[in-house]
């Protein structure tokens, strides 16, 4: 699956996608035409309806979930949806799974206890499903060392989110040379520092309150002061590559040089954050693909 993804993809929240099927198809075809190798869909329901619609509308684009939440999506149902999808589109879908965050999970009435054990159990259920979800057709959202180990042992590899090239190098060392490392990277194409940081903070705000990410960022040397008021300039500039397209290209290369097999770009823009940044996708693609 590593080679199928290509080197550069796009990450979006599923909430940014339109509900109209024709608009979904149009956006998917535009993404493929721009030359991106893969589309990662954040917060994807386990029915895999949107991945199916995107794959139906395209010919080469690989679609991955980034992620399907293991607490709210029963493994047997996910396995059925996965099988249905890969039958129609062989070698073009990667099932990304993760344990989400306590505040989000507990809002659904679940108890967020031993998330790594829960993830391991979910994988056991996928293995036991009829038909099963093969390990090389799934990837895990992993940040900490134990999660990376599980990704290497029980899946095609890891899809870390909100990370730096320094983290990527550490993750590659932990995973070893074989497993996939598909790293998410936020970018803003503007040379206006104030505007770039405004757009970046708008996207980062939610993550500055989620313990899973904060623990990982602390391991990278950030402190409480960096998380206050939407994030310090230091953390914003480290997590979000902003500037002209050459700056974006340089950050992508940093991630690849650090050991990423694939970089999933979350392209932030000054427009409506709830909508797909179609013009920005094209602008970034001109430089990267």
């Amino acid at each position: 699956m590593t080679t199928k993804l290509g080197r550069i993809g796009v990450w979006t929240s599923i909430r940014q996608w339109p509900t109209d099927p024709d608009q979904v198809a149009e956006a998917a075809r535009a993404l493929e035409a721009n030359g991106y190798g893969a589309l990662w869909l954040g917060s994807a329901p386990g029915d895999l309806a949107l991945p199916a619609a995107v794959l139906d509308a395209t010919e080469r684009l690989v679609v991955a979930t980034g992620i399907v939440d293991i607490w709210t999506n029963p493994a047997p149902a996910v396995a059925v949806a996965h099988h249905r999808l890969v039958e129609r589109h062989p070698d073009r879908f990667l099932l990304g799974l993760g344990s989400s965050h306590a505040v989000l999970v507990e809002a659904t009435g679940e108890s967020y206890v031993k998330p790594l054990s829960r993830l391991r159990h979910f994988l056991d259920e996928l293995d036991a499903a009829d038909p099963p979800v093969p390990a090389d057709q799934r990837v895990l959202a992993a940040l900490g060392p134990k999660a990376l180990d599980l990704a290497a042992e029980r899946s095609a590899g890891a899809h870390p989110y909100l990370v730096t090239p320094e983290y990527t190098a550490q993750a590659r060392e932990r995973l070893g040379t074989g497993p996939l490392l598909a790293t998410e990277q936020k970018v803003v194409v503007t040379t206006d520092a104030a505007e770039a940081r405004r757009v970046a903070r708008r996207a980062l705000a939610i993550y500055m309150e989620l313990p899973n990410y904060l623990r990982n960022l602390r391991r990278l040397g950030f402190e409480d002061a960096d998380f206050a008021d939407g994030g310090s300039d230091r953390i914003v500039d480290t997590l979000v590559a902003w500037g002209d397209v050459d700056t974006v290209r340089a950050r992508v290369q940093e991630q690849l040089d650090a050991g990423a097999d694939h970089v999933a770009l979350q392209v932030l823009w000054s427009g409506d954050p709830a909508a797909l940044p179609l013009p920005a996708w094209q602008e970034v693609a001109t430089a990267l693909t």
Side-chain angles (χ1 to χ4, degrees), residues 34 36 277-287 289:
N34 283 332
Y36 293 107
L278 295 171
W281 281 353
Q282 185 169 3
E283 185 177 11
V284 172
T286 302
T289 64

Side-chain angles (χ1 to χ4, degrees), residues 157-228:
H159 172 49
Y161 184 92
L162 198 70
V163 295
T164 66
E166 177 187 359
Y167 171 88
T168 298
Q170 295 172 5
R172 173 50 69 200
E173 183 175 1
R174 186 84 186 191
L175 289 168
T177 57
L180 170 71
L181 182 53
T183 301
E184 182 266 352
Q185 174 66 62
K186 293 175 177 58
V187 302
V188 182
V189 183
T190 178
T191 56
D192 182 330
E195 177 62 7
R197 289 173 177 150
R198 182 192 71 81
V199 171
R201 284 191 174 95
R202 182 175 67 183
L204 291 175
I206 186 174
Y207 306 115
M208 295 297 99
E209 299 178 355
L210 295 176
N212 292 7
Y213 290 123
L214 299 186
R215 278 195 296 271
N216 192 57
L217 292 169
R218 286 190 177 97
R219 285 193 289 263
L220 294 170
F222 294 103
E223 302 172 347
D224 288 348
D226 290 305
F227 310 138

